[in-house]
Amino acid sequence: METVKTGMKILLTGSTGLVGRELAFAAAKGGSELVCAHHAYPPEAGMPVLLDLGSSDSIRKALAANKPDVVIHAAALTDVEKCESDRELALAVNARATEAIAREAKRAGSHLVYVSTDYVFDGSKGSYREGDEPNPVNFYGRSKLMGEFGVERFADSWCIARTSTPYGLHPRRKSFPVVVAEALSACREMKVVADQRTSPTHTANLSMMILELGARRFQGTLHVSSSTGISRLEFAARVAKELGLDEGLLVPASREQVGWRAIRPKDTSLDVSKAASCLAAKPESLEESLRKFIPSLKGQLARSGARVDK
Ligand SMILES: NC(=O)c1ccc[n+]([C@@H]2O[C@H](COP(=O)([O-])OP(=O)(O)OC[C@H]3O[C@@H](n4cnc5c(N)ncnc54)[C@H](OP(=O)(O)O)[C@@H]3O)[C@@H](O)[C@H]2O)c1
């Protein structure tokens, strides 16, 4: 794992999630004093502090007691279908809690890095730049955009870091390439959406970029994803090929055929040229990231007894 040496005190929300867990390991390795806010599961690094995003009191206490140099807010309700069906919960966790974190970060003198999403865009054009107009097509995207507004309005020193389709290994969360690998290694067919493009981002690369944004107290909005826009189907095929698994088991489907309740935007790939020019930790291409990720994925599959090429 690469490191960003920070020496700062970080309070990390969502420290047990797909992105947050990787961030926590990277921050601890970089020598940061790390406070890991957690909810349903205990964190695996740093000093644990309980945090319920549904309670402004809990948010206030966590920040006031710790007075971090930087707050990295990576917690969210990320289940797109759940956000559509339980809009009140999505508003509470993704919008109102982010607003409360922004206010408390200002009060504590902390720089705030808010992890946001490509789903703030409507997907009509792809290769979105930071200045493009957000126009979310589902409630998850709307609630995250409201979170962005809260950060801009109430935080003093802030950065909005938008990412896209994070993937990596996690004990509970199966990211997309893991699901593909498990299905194909068990010789199971898998329906994969062919008409949706994003910029799949390795959580290891993402963590380095986010930690740098914190360490440098970067101000403003930045797209921090991989530099490769790709459809889900093409991404799945790349993973299959790297693992020596049968791509023929991938069954192309349209977004409509999958039966999602929440609309998925067509192309929310992100333009990362700004991050590439101003960060030391550069956005990697999909190819670069897969070179690092595939050996760990192979290791996990081998441990579970699945068939993969060595
Ligand atoms: N996943 C994606 O496809 C995607 C795409 C673009 C951007 N993002 C953004 O990237 C960030 C990280 O996403 P992720 O994929 O790592 O999410 P994730 O794996 O779903 O993890 C979510 C985290 O938020 C915490 N959390 C949820 N509800 C909470 C509550 N009420 N109080 C306190 N903590 C709570 C969870 O804690 P417990 O597990 O303990 O409940 C968990 O640590 C989010 O801001 C997300 O919007 C994600």
Side-chain angles (χ1 to χ4, degrees):
M1 189 194 286
E2 296 153 72
T3 56
V4 173
K5 294 235 177 292
T6 65
M8 57 189 170
K9 183 171 185 181
I10 300 174
L11 187 144
L12 170 65
T13 74
S15 62
T16 57
L18 179 64
V19 173
R21 180 174 180 266
E22 189 72 31
L23 261 168
F25 290 142
K29 197 164 179 213
S32 300
E33 186 183 346
L34 180 66
V35 179
C36 280
H38 65 103
H39 184 231
Y41 299 95
E44 294 166 71
M47 194 186 84
V49 60
L50 259 179
L51 175 78
D52 176 9
L53 290 179
S55 152
S56 51
D57 201 40
S58 168
I59 293 170
R60 190 176 45 74
K61 280 185 185 147
L63 268 87
N66 288 290
K67 295 226 175 312
D69 301 306
V70 175
V71 176
I72 299 177
H73 179 31
L77 183 65
T78 59
D79 182 334
V80 176
E81 295 297 289
K82 178 87 178 158
C83 286
E84 207 67 26
S85 61
D86 192 344
R87 294 180 172 208
E88 183 45 40
L89 184 65
L91 279 178
V93 174
N94 294 345
R96 288 198 291 272
T98 303
E99 197 178 298
I101 285 177
R103 287 178 197 273
E104 296 305 329
K106 180 176 180 176
R107 195 165 294 158
S110 314
H111 177 64
L112 173 61
V113 180
Y114 172 51
V115 183
S116 190
T117 174
D118 53 342
Y119 274 23
V120 297
F121 296 113
D122 63 19
S124 56
K125 75 172 192 74
S127 299
Y128 286 97
R129 301 179 74 111
E130 288 79 356
D132 285 329
E133 200 58 45
N135 182 32
V137 296
N138 57 42
F139 206 76
Y140 166 70
R142 270 173 70 185
S143 62
K144 290 291 294 183
L145 181 61
M146 289 162 88
E148 290 193 5
F149 293 154
V151 169
E152 290 172 12
R153 181 153 177 224
F154 296 110
D156 193 22
S157 174
W158 57 267
C159 168
I160 292 168
R162 294 190 187 125
T163 194
S164 175
T165 317
Y167 66 89
L169 298 183
H170 189 279
R172 294 174 300 278
R173 278 270 271 116
K174 285 186 185 173
S175 56
F176 181 68
V178 177
V179 177
V180 171
E182 287 187 356
L184 271 45
S185 62
C187 299
R188 277 200 315 270
E189 282 195 341
M190 182 180 168
K191 223 186 239 186
V192 185
V193 169
D195 61 351
Q196 187 189 11
R197 286 178 96 244
T198 63
S199 300
T201 308
H202 189 204
T203 51
N205 182 220
L206 178 60
S207 298
M208 291 303 115
M209 294 190 277
I210 290 175
L211 286 176
E212 186 178 338
L213 296 176
R216 286 173 45 184
R217 297 178 80 90
F218 184 94
Q219 306 290 326
T221 299
L222 199 66
H223 289 173
V224 285
S225 66
S226 83
S227 56
T228 307
I230 192 168
S231 77
R232 289 217 161 228
L233 182 63
E234 289 167 312
F235 183 26
R238 288 286 296 279
V239 171
K241 200 165 168 196
E242 295 286 341
L243 293 171
L245 296 171
D246 182 7
E247 289 173 51
L249 291 167
L250 299 170
V251 182
S254 68
R255 282 167 293 158
E256 269 118 60
Q257 284 170 326
V258 178
W260 284 316
R261 178 183 165 138
I263 299 168
R264 298 305 197 274
K266 184 165 185 259
D267 183 351
T268 51
S269 55
L270 298 175
D271 181 316
V272 289
S273 41
K274 189 172 165 191
S277 68
C278 71
L279 293 183
K282 306 287 180 206
E284 292 175 349
S285 65
L286 182 67
E287 200 176 340
E288 286 174 278
S289 286
L290 283 183
R291 218 177 295 134
K292 298 174 186 173
F293 173 63
I294 291 291
S296 60
L297 178 55
K298 276 188 178 174
Q300 175 164 298
L301 289 171
R303 283 190 295 279
S304 71
R307 182 190 66 82
V308 281
D309 281 2
K310 289 277 180 276

